[in-house]
Amino acid sequence: MIKYLSVIYFLFSSIAFSDTTIIALDQVHHSFGGLGNNRTSTSEIQFPNGSTDYSSITMRVNLECPTGGCDPWDRKAKISVYHIDQWIEIGRYVTPYGVECGWEIDVTDYWSLLKGEVILKSFIDTWVQPGWLVSIEFDFVEGQSQYPFTIVRNLWNYDRLVYGDPTIPVDISTIQEYLPNDTEEAYIRITTTGHGQGNTENAAEFSDKRHDILINGEVSHVHNFWRPDCEFNDCSPQNGTWQYDRAGFCPGDKVDAQNLSILDFSLPGNTVEFSYVLEDYFNQCSPNNPSCVNGVTCSSCAYNNTGHTEPFYYIGSQLIIHTTNKHSNADVYLSISDQDTSMNSVDIYLENYVPVYGLSFEIDLSQVDVQDGEDLSIENGFGGRAEESNWIVSTNDSGLIVALAQGTGEPIQPGEGIFTRIQLNLENISVLSGSLKIINVEASGYFGSQLSFETGEPTNFELLSNNQEMIIPSKIRLHNAYPNPFNPITTISYDIPEDNFVNLTIFDLAGRKIKTLVNENIFTGFNSVRWRGLDEQYQPVSTGVYLCVLQTGNFRETKKIILLK
């Protein structure tokens, strides 16, 4: 059952805040047995549509006993949402030994996933009939969030990573991801819990192991997830061994994710390499160990599903990036960013967190109304990141745009900026209006793997010919500088939909003015200006992060620029 509640709170009798509670699950039975396998509950939830800012989002989880009593054992459990073709874990807990309990989990960083219609999955690893009655609510508190936008990218996710068995080698992949230029904060959010007992060092549930997290090949963090406080659990007293400390969890408690900083080890605008290396460990008490002798090496070499179970880790992690501007969570984001009236072309913007080895898409012309002239058509692409990477962007007779590497087959490396410029055939067209959008995208990664993608909103434009052509921007916009990072020159583009006074100024992170690039009336159109990394006295500025601020009327937008020397 899904309910939607809105509550109005009044502060100082003059300011109204509208907070929203979404009831996602209401006493949904999770069990296993005669009624079937009901360990997982999947529901489509209607969340707020994203038009309101929220200062915090809290997920409240409550467990109750069904008829026949609660599950008597501690079971691992997690809550995930389905977003852009993948499941993303947003919360984890371990059920108590046979008593009711509940917790609150901060999910504010997952706001970009909790908008509109969302598929939510609740899972408890129970193997008994009583199981649990699960209720989940989300409290959205309206207000100004600490960060305006957040990117969420999956990193390492393993439901069962066997530990200490050479016949089942650990293979945690090294992952490369891109940090956008306007990144304000970034961290690895990781949740690791150990399970299994009766093994060498009583791993992995009762063994205190420390694992290394590497950033760009160097150890950046030692992952210590041991819980030394289980005897102080609020969900107590329980049955069983709830008071014993464990690897990453306590029975009857939520599992708090750890946030490990990234920006101390890498700057925005760069590709970052992440590795997770487990501490060396060999489980001698394994049926796969030919040297194991019952009663000698350990009490028993065979797993028995009670006192001796296989050691493994349950790992969930994401890359969390807070940014100044809105970004996609997909591997690839494509949009139509600019129109060049002098060259009758549109610029295709590409943002990719991972290397791209092949790309195809179409520009939908169905919403373009040609009032005077022939049908609008598109031609081959040129320039941009594609040309810099020795790619060819060609258009076939059906309008499909295909971009592929030439020669050595090098991919488009992670980054952001203009991918290519697509020529519009406007030679025999004098008047047209409508919108263009990108459709039918196919993006390929390494060895043809399919990459996730999102596309930008349709771009409106108008072409009027009275001995001249003019394509009018639909809104004021400051684009990302290109190249960025740069040395020694970068180009800053901005759109002005009507004549207005414009100020475009470079500041440092302390707010000191470095260089005024534009401070005058600007005519309607697409504009750009170059910055050569000089201050007002024409002296070179130092390496670092700078802020480019566009202001016209009541509009103000900021982009980060990085100068590297």
Side-chain angles (χ1 to χ4, degrees):
M1 179 170 59
I2 301 172
K3 302 177 183 177
Y4 190 101
L5 306 177
S6 292
V7 184
I8 308 297
Y9 295 92
F10 292 91
L11 179 64
F12 304 122
S13 73
S14 62
I15 303 176
F17 294 92
S18 177
D19 299 338
T20 301
T21 296
I22 304 297
I23 301 179
L25 299 185
D26 187 3
Q27 294 187 321
V28 174
H29 194 185
H30 292 53
S31 65
F32 183 88
L35 297 178
N37 184 352
N38 299 303
R39 302 191 304 158
T40 300
S41 172
T42 303
S43 305
E44 186 173 284
I45 312 299
Q46 181 64 53
F47 285 105
N49 60 18
S51 60
T52 303
D53 289 332
Y54 295 100
S55 60
S56 67
I57 307 172
T58 301
M59 179 172 65
R60 289 187 280 118
V61 182
N62 191 59
L63 301 184
E64 298 175 80
C65 297
T67 301
C70 294
D71 186 336
W73 292 99
D74 57 331
R75 311 287 192 182
K76 60 184 183 296
K78 70 175 178 179
I79 300 160
S80 309
V81 295
Y82 195 68
H83 180 73
I84 313 182
D85 302 327
Q86 62 182 335
W87 289 103
I88 298 178
E89 179 181 331
I90 63 172
R92 188 185 301 188
Y93 60 95
V94 174
T95 65
Y97 284 96
V99 298
E100 298 180 339
C101 215
W103 314 273
E104 292 185 351
I105 300 174
D106 184 357
V107 293
T108 308
D109 280 348
Y110 299 112
W111 172 216
S112 63
L113 315 180
L114 304 176
K115 297 181 180 181
E117 293 184 355
V118 176
I119 298 175
L120 180 141
K121 179 169 66 177
S122 170
F123 168 77
I124 298 179
D125 192 25
T126 182
W127 293 99
V128 297
Q129 182 61 58
W132 299 95
L133 298 178
V134 181
S135 297
I136 300 175
E137 297 183 1
F138 292 83
D139 292 334
F140 291 75
V141 178
E142 185 174 341
Q144 186 65 44
S145 60
Q146 181 180 4
Y147 299 102
F149 301 101
T150 301
I151 301 166
V152 181
R153 299 276 301 160
N154 263 335
L155 290 177
W156 311 290
N157 292 277
Y158 300 92
D159 287 345
R160 189 181 183 90
L161 188 73
V162 176
Y163 187 43
D165 189 341
T167 68
I168 310 174
V170 172
D171 183 19
I172 302 178
S173 58
T174 295
I175 297 174
Q176 289 186 340
E177 289 283 337
Y178 174 73
L179 298 181
N181 290 312
D182 61 336
T183 297
E184 297 184 8
E185 181 59 276
Y187 40 84
I188 299 168
R189 170 165 293 173
I190 186 166
T191 306
T192 298
T193 51
H195 305 271
Q197 58 186 317
N199 303 291
T200 304
E201 301 178 40
N202 214 4
E205 183 170 337
F206 298 99
S207 182
D208 183 3
K209 297 293 184 181
R210 310 294 169 89
H211 308 317
D212 290 337
I213 291 180
L214 284 66
I215 295 180
N216 294 330
E218 300 291 335
V219 175
S220 60
H221 303 279
V222 176
H223 188 205
N224 175 14
F225 52 98
W226 181 253
R227 283 290 301 268
D229 57 346
C230 289
E231 64 269 29
F232 305 110
N233 194 338
D234 290 337
C235 186
S236 59
Q238 304 173 33
N239 306 313
T241 59
W242 60 271
Q243 69 273 25
Y244 296 157
D245 299 337
R246 287 168 165 83
F249 75 92
C250 297
D253 199 5
K254 63 183 178 180
V255 180
D256 287 322
Q258 293 176 279
N259 294 333
L260 307 177
S261 176
I262 294 172
L263 294 187
D264 292 337
F265 307 94
S266 184
L267 287 174
N270 288 293
T271 301
V272 189
E273 184 179 271
F274 302 102
S275 302
Y276 191 35
V277 181
L278 303 187
E279 181 180 329
D280 287 341
Y281 168 74
F282 173 57
N283 180 25
Q284 300 181 62
C285 304
S286 166
N288 297 325
N289 176 21
S291 301
C292 185
V293 178
N294 289 325
V296 178
T297 309
C298 28
S299 58
S300 173
C301 298
Y303 299 134
N304 56 22
N305 295 321
T306 55
H308 185 203
T309 54
E310 186 175 47
F312 70 94
Y313 285 119
Y314 195 21
I315 302 173
S317 64
Q318 299 108 25
L319 172 61
I320 305 293
I321 309 172
H322 298 297
T323 59
T324 305
N325 304 292
K326 185 178 179 180
H327 295 263
S328 172
N329 293 322
D331 296 329
V332 170
Y333 173 78
L334 279 174
S335 67
I336 299 174
S337 63
D338 285 320
Q339 299 129 22
D340 190 316
T341 58
S342 64
M343 301 187 69
N344 294 338
S345 62
V346 293
D347 286 346
I348 306 299
Y349 175 85
L350 169 67
E351 180 175 81
N352 55 306
Y353 297 106
V354 297
V356 176
Y357 285 79
L359 190 61
S360 67
F361 58 93
E362 295 181 48
I363 296 179
D364 184 10
L365 306 176
S366 63
Q367 301 303 311
V368 176
D369 180 20
V370 179
Q371 301 175 25
D372 184 11
E374 300 177 358
D375 290 340
L376 176 63
S377 62
I378 58 178
E379 300 178 1
N380 295 338
F382 61 95
R385 297 174 63 196
E387 189 169 292
E388 291 172 1
S389 300
N390 196 30
W391 279 39
I392 290 181
V393 181
S394 58
T395 304
N396 64 21
D397 293 339
S398 64
L400 180 67
I401 299 169
V402 178
L404 294 171
Q406 302 298 306
T408 59
E410 290 299 315
I412 301 293
Q413 294 297 336
E416 55 191 309
I418 301 303
F419 174 64
T420 191
R421 176 165 288 181
I422 300 295
Q423 194 81 30
L424 301 176
N425 188 355
L426 303 176
E427 183 176 354
N428 298 312
I429 298 176
S430 57
V431 179
L432 63 79
S433 62
S435 64
L436 299 175
K437 66 177 180 179
I438 294 175
I439 60 173
N440 298 332
V441 177
E442 293 286 344
S444 299
Y446 189 58
F447 269 95
S449 60
Q450 188 172 6
L451 301 180
S452 63
F453 66 87
E454 284 190 324
T455 59
E457 295 295 320
T459 298
N460 296 320
F461 72 97
E462 185 175 23
L463 175 65
L464 305 173
S465 182
N466 291 314
N467 298 323
Q468 65 174 2
E469 298 173 345
M470 180 170 62
I471 301 176
I472 302 173
S474 60
K475 61 181 180 180
I476 304 172
R477 183 178 180 185
L478 174 63
H479 297 276
N480 291 316
Y482 184 79
N484 190 14
F486 76 98
N487 180 22
I489 301 174
T490 189
T491 299
I492 302 164
S493 299
Y494 58 98
D495 306 344
I496 304 297
E498 59 183 23
D499 298 355
N500 211 336
F501 188 85
V502 173
N503 179 273
L504 185 64
T505 300
I506 305 296
F507 296 88
D508 64 17
L509 291 179
R512 294 183 290 264
K513 184 170 72 172
I514 301 299
K515 178 72 173 178
T516 299
L517 302 177
V518 178
N519 192 47
E520 61 183 335
N521 285 306
I522 298 296
F523 294 118
T524 299
F526 303 94
N527 305 273
S528 64
V529 62
R530 287 187 172 186
W531 184 39
R532 299 179 179 273
L534 306 177
D535 62 16
E536 295 285 20
Q537 285 72 46
Y538 296 95
Q539 297 300 310
V541 299
S542 59
T543 295
V545 180
Y546 295 88
L547 302 177
C548 177
V549 180
L550 172 71
Q551 186 159 355
T552 176
N554 295 323
F555 178 89
R556 182 184 178 93
E557 188 171 2
T558 301
K559 300 283 189 181
K560 284 185 179 179
I561 304 177
I562 301 173
L563 173 61
L564 297 179
K565 294 185 178 179

